[in-house]
Amino acid sequence: MFPSEIYLEILLRLPVKSTFVCKCVCKTWLSLISDPSFVKSHLNLTIQTNRPNLILKGTDETRSEDCEVIFFISHDLLDSLLSPDKEFLEYALEMDYPFKSGYDSVELMGCCDGVVCLWFCFSASDMNFLCLWNPATKEYKKLPKSPNADDFYDYNMIGLGNDSKSEDYKLVTQYTNVVEIYSLRLNSWTSIENMAYEFHSLNIVGVPVHRDLHWLAKSQDSEAIVCLDIGNQVFKEIQLPNEPLVRKNDKRKFMTVGVLEGCLCVVANVTNLHSEVWVMQDYGVQESWNKRYIITDERIMNDYLPHLMWSFKSGELLFGLCSSDDLIIYDPKDESAGEPNMPSLTELYQEGCYYESLVSLGSGTYVGGE
């Protein structure tokens, strides 16, 4: 008979699906795995392994009706994207998400600790709504409508994060001039300070770095990265790189914000010359911006909103292009670029970095009614 500490260490290292089986072994294990402290420890250990998965959302136009799909690619199979010999559907798993029929559009609005935010639009009833979903447990929660929201509204910005102070998951949104935060623990919305920033209409999902959320925004004539400390519910600015250009008439336009090797990064375009990937090596310190890559591939240069979706251990970068809804794999070593082998699919253009978790949404509603 092993000591209980040994059983705990073993259970903490199991995949989420395996813990479901272990819950059926005995009441002791059921109680242990269901405990919030176990859920938190299991998640922290999963994140420490630094083996994130990738979620991709797009449209499959090859089906009888244009079908919006969400795919899951496990960390162990991510390098398959680099192989021209492997077709996408050989390693990508199509996910069964909530409300999969009866809607006009579903948008992927970010991931945090195994929880995914989805935005559903139903034009037939002039209604849309937000939904949180844990793909690993299949649990989902349709969020209550904000008191300030109309029946149909567009977001200027949105982001999902974890408030470690209150051990709560919070969703921040802005439409018109109202900034609101939804608390999962309280199941309610509250308004916070308004912001005089303009967000790009196609780059509205907050990027999580250091447990804060980040957006590229403009205030009057200046650009900056806007950061939300989700625990204190306070906004601040992070200054962008400030390097003089070589040619007098050139302009550097910052396009998107992202994450590269755990660090905050931005993609910039220098007029008719090249694109740049900048990395902030020391978080919050403007002087630590480092121009990591210069990209001359025309498809990336000419896209109006190229965003860095993934970086592979071998050095290749995965970009999403908004102008064509294509994926591009760029190799900085030889400056080559190509596309993943996915002839059966079109328009994969939204992504999320995803860790499987046991995080509960407290809804008791599950995809498939399980």
Side-chain angles (χ1 to χ4, degrees), residues 14 19 75 80 82 87 91-92 123 132 143 158 172 233 281 289 314-315 325 344 352 365:
L14 292 178
T19 64
H75 184 275
S80 298
L82 303 174
E87 206 274 333
Y91 54 87
S123 63
L132 298 182
L143 302 192
I158 190 169
V172 58
Q233 298 184 173
Q281 296 175 315
W289 281 112
S314 53
D325 295 328
S344 59
T365 54

Side-chain angles (χ1 to χ4, degrees), residues 318-365:
L318 179 66
F319 285 91
L321 305 184
C322 280
S323 59
S324 59
D325 295 328
D326 289 333
L327 302 183
I328 295 293
I329 297 172
Y330 179 79
D331 190 345
K333 294 189 291 292
D334 58 9
E335 299 183 351
S336 62
E339 299 179 13
N341 181 14
M342 47 180 67
S344 59
L345 293 171
T346 57
E347 297 186 4
L348 284 170
Y349 49 86
Q350 291 180 332
E351 88 291 342
C353 176
Y354 169 72
Y355 291 93
E356 289 191 332
S357 79
L358 289 161
V359 171
S360 173
L361 304 177
S363 67
T365 54

